[in-house]
Amino acid sequence: MQTIDLKDAACFGVAGNFTGHLEQAGEAENFNELKVADSAAPKALFPTYIPAAASALGANSAPAFLNVFPFDAKKIVFPKGEEKIQIEPEMAIVFDAEWIDGKLAALEPKFFGASNDVSIRKEGALKISVKKNWGPSSKGFSEQAIKVEPGIFDRYRIASYLLRQNKLYEYGENSPVCGYSYFGKKLNDWLLDKFNNQENLGPAEDIHSYLMAAGFPKKIFVSVGATRYSDFGKENFLQGGDDSIVAVYPDSYKKETIEQMILKGGLLEGVSLLRQRVVL
C-alpha cells in the first residue's frame, strides 16, 4: 500500500456505472440526449481535475476551475452557497497512460483504492464537472492505494458510511467491486473510446481536447462510479462535523468487522480507507 500523488494526473469520474445510482441521485434525465448502444453502459466520462500545462497544439484547455487540485484525504470543505452535497462512494483506479500520435492508445491499471467523488445536488448545472470540483478539498482518494494484481478485484468490496454524533450510518449499499456494469476489459475499452471520442454534448465534455492541452498526461485517475445509496444515504446530506467514510476492503472481512474498525479509528491490513471530516 502507498500514497499516490495525483497532482500530475488527469482525474475523471464515470457517470452511471452502477445500475440505479443516477435515478437515486435525481440526475438520470440529464443524460437523455446521450445515446448509448448498450443500455447497461455508463453514460459519460467527466473531468474532476486537469493539470494545467501550456500546449503548442492549439487544443482547448480545460475550464480554469478544473486546474484547481481538489483532492484531500482528511477533509471536505462544504461549498459556499450550496445546501445539498452527498458522498459518492466509489473505487478509483490509477492508470499509466500510453499515447500514440495524439490518441490515448492504452491504459494500464497500477493502483486502486477508496474514492469519494462528492457531488453537489442542484438544478440547472448542465456539465457534471461543475458539481464536482468547487475548489480545494472537494474530492477524496485514500492514502492507502493498493497495487493491482491479477484477480485482485474479485476479492474486494465497497462500503460507505456517515459518522454523525458518534453514530455510524450505512450510506451506500455494500457492493462487490465486480458489481459495476462495466469493469475489467469492458470498462477499459469504453474508457479509451470516451477519452478519444467523447463529444461536448449535454452533461458531457470534449475531454480529449483537455488532455491534449494538458500535454498528454502519463497518469490518469478514474473514479469508476458510485454505488447505490442506502435509504439513509438517499435522504441525508452532509453537514458540518460529519465524517464521510468510504472503505474498499477484502471480502475475507465481514462487514461488521469493517464497521468496528471505523468506530475504533483503526486500519486493517489490505483495507483502503478514506475518512474525511466535513468542514463548513
Side-chain angles (χ1 to χ4, degrees), residues 119-189:
S119 189
I120 302 171
R121 303 297 180 208
K122 63 179 179 179
E123 300 293 330
L126 179 58
K127 298 301 184 187
I128 307 171
S129 56
V130 303
K131 296 181 282 187
K132 298 292 187 177
N133 184 338
W134 58 85
S137 305
S138 57
K139 289 275 151 293
F141 183 56
S142 172
E143 292 178 320
Q144 301 91 37
I146 304 164
K147 187 177 180 180
V148 174
E149 298 174 352
I152 195 169
F153 293 121
D154 296 339
R155 308 193 298 271
Y156 271 79
R157 300 185 67 86
I158 306 166
S160 63
Y161 298 91
L162 184 148
L163 184 66
R164 177 176 290 168
Q165 297 178 345
N166 297 317
K167 187 171 181 179
L168 194 65
Y169 299 91
E170 192 167 16
Y171 203 85
E173 292 183 3
N174 189 294
S175 307
V177 165
C178 290
Y180 282 112
S181 297
Y182 273 35
F183 201 68
K185 184 179 185 304
K186 195 172 188 179
L187 175 64
N188 198 292
D189 291 345

Side-chain angles (χ1 to χ4, degrees), residues 204-236:
E205 298 172 64
D206 175 9
I207 51 180
H208 184 260
S209 66
Y210 297 172
L211 292 169
M212 289 176 62
F216 306 110
K218 301 296 185 184
K219 186 192 301 179
I220 291 180
F221 168 96
V222 179
S223 214
V224 179
T227 63
R228 289 181 294 272
Y229 290 119
S230 67
D231 290 340
F232 177 89
K234 282 187 290 186
E235 303 297 332
N236 287 271

Side-chain angles (χ1 to χ4, degrees), residues 8-194:
D8 61 345
C11 301
F12 298 86
V14 178
N17 197 21
F18 227 106
T19 303
H21 173 79
L22 289 178
E23 289 76 10
Q24 287 183 328
E27 297 191 346
E29 64 181 28
N30 296 337
F31 296 87
N32 286 342
E33 62 182 303
L34 296 179
K35 306 303 180 184
V36 293
D38 176 7
S39 61
K43 300 300 184 285
L45 189 60
F46 57 87
T48 55
Y49 168 69
I50 304 293
S55 172
L57 300 175
N60 295 323
S61 60
F65 73 90
L66 286 173
N67 297 145
V68 177
F69 187 72
F71 288 90
D72 190 324
K74 302 298 184 184
K75 68 180 183 289
I76 298 166
V77 173
F78 203 98
K80 292 182 179 179
E82 301 296 342
E83 297 179 355
K84 297 179 178 180
I85 65 171
Q86 280 184 299
I87 303 170
E88 294 263 347
E90 313 197 15
M91 187 204 71
I93 303 174
V94 180
F95 295 92
D96 281 349
E98 179 185 351
W99 294 88
I100 298 178
D101 296 330
K103 291 288 187 180
L104 187 58
L107 289 167
E108 182 182 357
K110 303 297 288 187
F111 295 92
F112 70 99
S115 172
N116 186 1
D117 194 32
V118 198
S119 189
I120 302 171
R121 303 297 180 208
K122 63 179 179 179
E123 300 293 330
L126 179 58
K127 298 301 184 187
I128 307 171
S129 56
V130 303
K131 296 181 282 187
K132 298 292 187 177
N133 184 338
W134 58 85
S137 305
S138 57
K139 289 275 151 293
F141 183 56
S142 172
E143 292 178 320
Q144 301 91 37
I146 304 164
K147 187 177 180 180
V148 174
E149 298 174 352
I152 195 169
F153 293 121
D154 296 339
R155 308 193 298 271
Y156 271 79
R157 300 185 67 86
I158 306 166
S160 63
Y161 298 91
L162 184 148
L163 184 66
R164 177 176 290 168
Q165 297 178 345
N166 297 317
K167 187 171 181 179
L168 194 65
Y169 299 91
E170 192 167 16
Y171 203 85
E173 292 183 3
N174 189 294
S175 307
V177 165
C178 290
Y180 282 112
S181 297
Y182 273 35
F183 201 68
K185 184 179 185 304
K186 195 172 188 179
L187 175 64
N188 198 292
D189 291 345
W190 182 88
L191 289 172
L192 288 173
D193 175 61
K194 292 301 175 185

